[in-house]
Every structure is written in C-alpha cells, then in structure tokens.
Amino acid sequence: MAIIPIPAPERATGASRLPSTGGLIDRFERPMRDLRISVTDRCNFRCVYCMPRAVFGRDYAFLDRDELLSFEEIERIARVAASHGVRKLRLTGGEPLLRRGIEELIARLAALRTPEGDNLEIALTTNGSALTVKAQALKDAGLGRLTVSIDSLNDELFQQMNDVRFPVSRVLDGLDAAHAVGLGPIKLNMVVKRGLNDGEIEAMAAHFKGTPYTLRFIEYMDVGTSNGWSLDEVVPSAEIVERISAQHPLEPVGAAVTGETAQRWRYTDGSGEIGVISSVTNTFCGTCNRARISTEGKLFTCLFATEGHDLRALLREGADDEQLAAAMASIWGARDDRYSEIRSSLTPELRASRQRVEMSYIGG
C-alpha cells in the first residue's frame, strides 16, 4: 500500500503549539498525542459496568450504518490529527472487531506517516471474542499493539459479567492466537468492582505472572450514566498492589512515556509486571494527552465529557483538510478538562446529575 504523506498545516488561529514539535497544547499545556477512535457503538457483550442489559437491551436503538464515520472519514481525521502531533491511534468501540472490514481501516491507518516520516502506533482494544478468527488478518493489516479486556478467570463469574454466557476459555484461546501471530506487546485490562470480581485480583495476577501478557487493574469508573456507579464499589489501586505484593513482592517502575495512564509495578523476581490505572483515587489529568472520536464523528476531549464537537458535519459539508485542522486546533486549544481531579469536590447529587457520554459510544 502506498505511503500517505501528511502535510504540516499552517498554524491555526488562536491555537497554542509546542515549539519543538509543532504539536498542539491545551490550556494546561498538555499536548495531543493519542487519538482513540470508536468505530462502532455495538458490542456482543453486555458487561455490567459498560453496557448493562437493562439499558442496552433488545430494543436499544444503535446507530444506523450511514451515521457511522466511513473508513475514508476516519482516515482523514487521523491524518490531520497526526499533523497536529498525534503519534498513537487506538481503535475502540463498542467491540471494534464487529465493524465489518476493520482490517481495511487498520491498513489505511498503518499507511499514514507523521510529518517527519515516522510510523504511527496503531493499537486496538477488544473483548477478545473474535481473536481466534481475526488475529492473523489484524497482524497482516498492520496492527501493532493489542489490549484485551478480561475481568475474571472464573468462568461462572466471567459469564455473569459479560452477561451473554461467553466462556473465558475462548478469550484465553484468542490471546494465544494473537501472541502466536506476533501481535504484541499484549496488555490485559481487568476492571475491578468491589463485591463483584475483587476476589479475583490475586488469582488473575498469579495466572498471568511470567506470561507474555501485562495485566492492568482498572478502578471502576463513573463513565456514562447507565452503570449505576458508586464510590463504595471502587477498589483503590493501592489496595490492589498491596494484596498482590503480599503474595508476589512488587516494586515500582517509572513511566515509559509521558501521559501513560497506568502506574507500573514489576515483580522483584523478574517475572514480569502489572499496571494499575487509578482514575478515581490517584488521577492523571495533569498529563492526559488523549482525544477521542465517537462512533458518529464527534471529538471529545475527555472520557468524562458531557458533549463533543461534530467533525462529521464538517467533513460531510465539504470542509478541506486545512479547515478540519483549524477546527481540531481550536477545540484542543480551548481544552480545560480535569474531571477526575474535581470528582471528589462534587457532591454525590452533582455527580449523579452530571450527564456523561457512555463508554460504548466513546470507547475507553
């Protein structure tokens, strides 16, 4: 496939830029480096913390196909974002492997280059249900990094959490298939909810210790309004680390890159590491460099945002790349989001009344 050059745009009016790279910075001088693109709002799981069946049931109205961004539109947005300093693209959902032809999109994105001629990092987050079938095609298309969500090794509990009776063994088979074709490094995400799967922390750590996979524990978050989030259900990352370290001693590891969401801990015996994502108890808003594109083409500057900016309308009304670049620069330049930092200052009533976009619509 031909390499698609990315022209560096002219400086957008009112937008701040990093002098060394030309990348955008927001009001808190945070650069835009990571773009997460939701390619579908559909999922074949009904996980209780993301798409509970009571809300996303048989009668739920998902987006029509023509409401979704086309692959050409996603490619244009990614190309312009790269000209503004984005260096990592992550495809999310819903479940991104449900999007027909996802391999074609990955190939398009893998052909993009930065203004300096470097590759972009192409990543994907999946529930792992289709990896045994899709792994080789994803690798061949140019996918680099892979993250798989897995919340328990106990099959009964895993099926309870995904609420579609999908066995955990098939996800584990998918992991092995992805590793076998050379997809990696592969990270595993476990969302921990007190009273549901917090009893699985030590077992999960022990199972994946010494394997090619890096397990990350995510504090249960108040994303969207459908999961009935309560602060009492959050298991602090400090508790998770303490519990694992009591059985398998851990020591802290410095961040690999600025803006990394996970705090890293390695086993002192050299058998790998874990990560903890503390978006509730130890926030990382100060270094957040992630923008998100929703399934229907809205740019969100925070996972907890109440509204997005409609890029699809610009594209379909005939905006050229320069106009798209200017819009993106203006949006990021005005960014002042830091919801996780101010969450604790909000009363439970204010938190409950705050309208937030659903995880399945914006991606994680």
Side-chain angles (χ1 to χ4, degrees):
M1 178 173 289
I3 301 303
I4 304 170
I6 303 171
E10 295 295 325
R11 175 171 178 154
T13 303
S16 298
R17 305 185 74 88
L18 292 170
S20 60
T21 64
L24 300 175
I25 57 173
D26 67 10
R27 291 184 178 181
F28 294 116
E29 299 188 348
R30 298 170 296 190
M32 184 170 69
R33 288 287 181 264
D34 185 323
L35 184 65
R36 304 190 173 194
I37 305 168
S38 178
V39 297
T40 179
D41 60 337
R42 298 171 187 265
C43 186
N44 55 336
F45 284 8
R46 287 296 176 266
C47 296
V48 295
Y49 57 82
C50 181
M51 293 182 70
R53 188 180 296 278
V55 177
F56 297 89
R58 184 172 299 176
D59 297 329
Y60 185 81
F62 291 99
L63 295 171
D64 291 333
R65 183 173 181 81
D66 62 358
E67 294 180 275
L68 308 181
L69 287 177
S70 68
F71 290 169
E72 292 81 4
E73 290 169 333
I74 292 173
E75 181 186 344
R76 277 193 67 194
I77 289 173
R79 184 173 67 245
V80 170
S83 74
H84 275 320
V86 163
R87 296 298 177 259
K88 179 178 179 180
L89 304 173
R90 176 173 293 277
L91 302 180
T92 68
E95 170 48 48
L97 297 187
L98 293 184
R99 180 73 185 262
R100 184 177 299 177
I102 187 69
E103 300 87 352
E104 177 191 341
L105 175 60
I106 291 170
R108 285 173 175 267
L109 299 179
L112 296 174
R113 296 292 181 267
T114 71
E116 298 78 26
D118 298 324
N119 295 329
L120 297 175
E121 182 179 328
I122 312 298
L124 182 142
T125 298
T126 174
N127 61 27
S129 61
L131 280 177
T132 52
V133 176
K134 290 275 193 179
Q136 187 65 63
L138 296 172
K139 174 67 175 178
D140 294 344
L143 183 66
R145 293 179 177 267
L146 185 67
T147 299
V148 179
S149 299
I150 180 168
D151 297 318
S152 175
L153 291 169
N154 179 296
D155 192 54
E156 181 179 355
L157 180 55
F158 184 77
Q159 292 190 39
Q160 176 188 342
M161 293 188 70
N162 66 54
D163 201 18
V164 293
R165 303 186 63 82
F166 195 92
V168 69
S169 60
R170 290 177 60 184
V171 176
L172 296 175
D173 289 344
L175 278 178
D176 291 341
H179 177 68
V181 302
L183 280 172
I186 298 175
K187 295 180 180 178
L188 310 179
N189 283 348
M190 176 186 181
V191 174
V192 183
K193 183 178 180 181
R194 192 178 297 281
L196 183 59
N197 66 336
D198 56 311
E200 295 290 296
I201 291 170
E202 291 89 345
M204 288 281 286
H207 181 86
F208 290 108
K209 181 175 182 287
T211 70
Y213 314 121
T214 299
L215 178 60
R216 305 191 302 178
F217 299 87
I218 303 176
E219 292 179 346
Y220 178 46
M221 294 181 289
D222 51 332
V223 180
T225 56
S226 65
N227 65 6
W229 182 87
S230 169
L231 187 58
D232 295 337
E233 296 170 325
V234 176
V235 180
S237 292
E239 177 184 329
I240 293 171
V241 171
E242 182 179 2
R243 286 170 56 176
I244 295 172
S245 194
Q247 296 185 3
H248 307 285
L250 294 164
E251 60 185 7
V253 182
V257 294
T258 301
E260 191 171 52
T261 58
Q263 295 172 303
R264 299 166 59 204
W265 294 79
R266 66 186 167 209
Y267 294 107
T268 56
D269 64 3
S271 59
E273 66 178 60
I274 65 165
V276 290
I277 299 177
S278 315
S279 60
V280 178
T281 64
N282 189 13
T283 63
F284 40 82
C285 296
T287 58
C288 179
N289 57 14
R290 292 170 295 285
R292 291 172 168 83
I293 302 294
S294 73
T295 310
E296 57 182 345
K298 291 184 179 180
L299 172 61
F300 287 81
T301 55
C302 178
L303 180 60
F304 303 97
T306 58
E307 59 183 1
H309 306 268
D310 194 351
L311 298 185
R312 187 189 66 182
L314 282 177
L315 294 172
R316 296 186 181 180
E317 290 168 3
D320 60 22
D321 282 0
E322 184 176 353
Q323 291 169 313
L324 182 60
M328 201 174 291
S330 177
I331 293 165
W332 190 263
R335 179 185 190 238
D336 60 1
D337 303 283
R338 55 187 191 94
Y339 172 76
S340 291
E341 290 182 349
I342 67 172
R343 178 195 285 108
S344 60
S345 68
L346 301 176
T347 65
E349 292 76 19
L350 283 175
R351 285 200 300 264
S353 64
R354 180 184 172 95
Q355 293 298 310
R356 296 178 298 274
V357 65
E358 297 295 338
M359 177 83 79
S360 56
Y361 173 79
I362 196 177

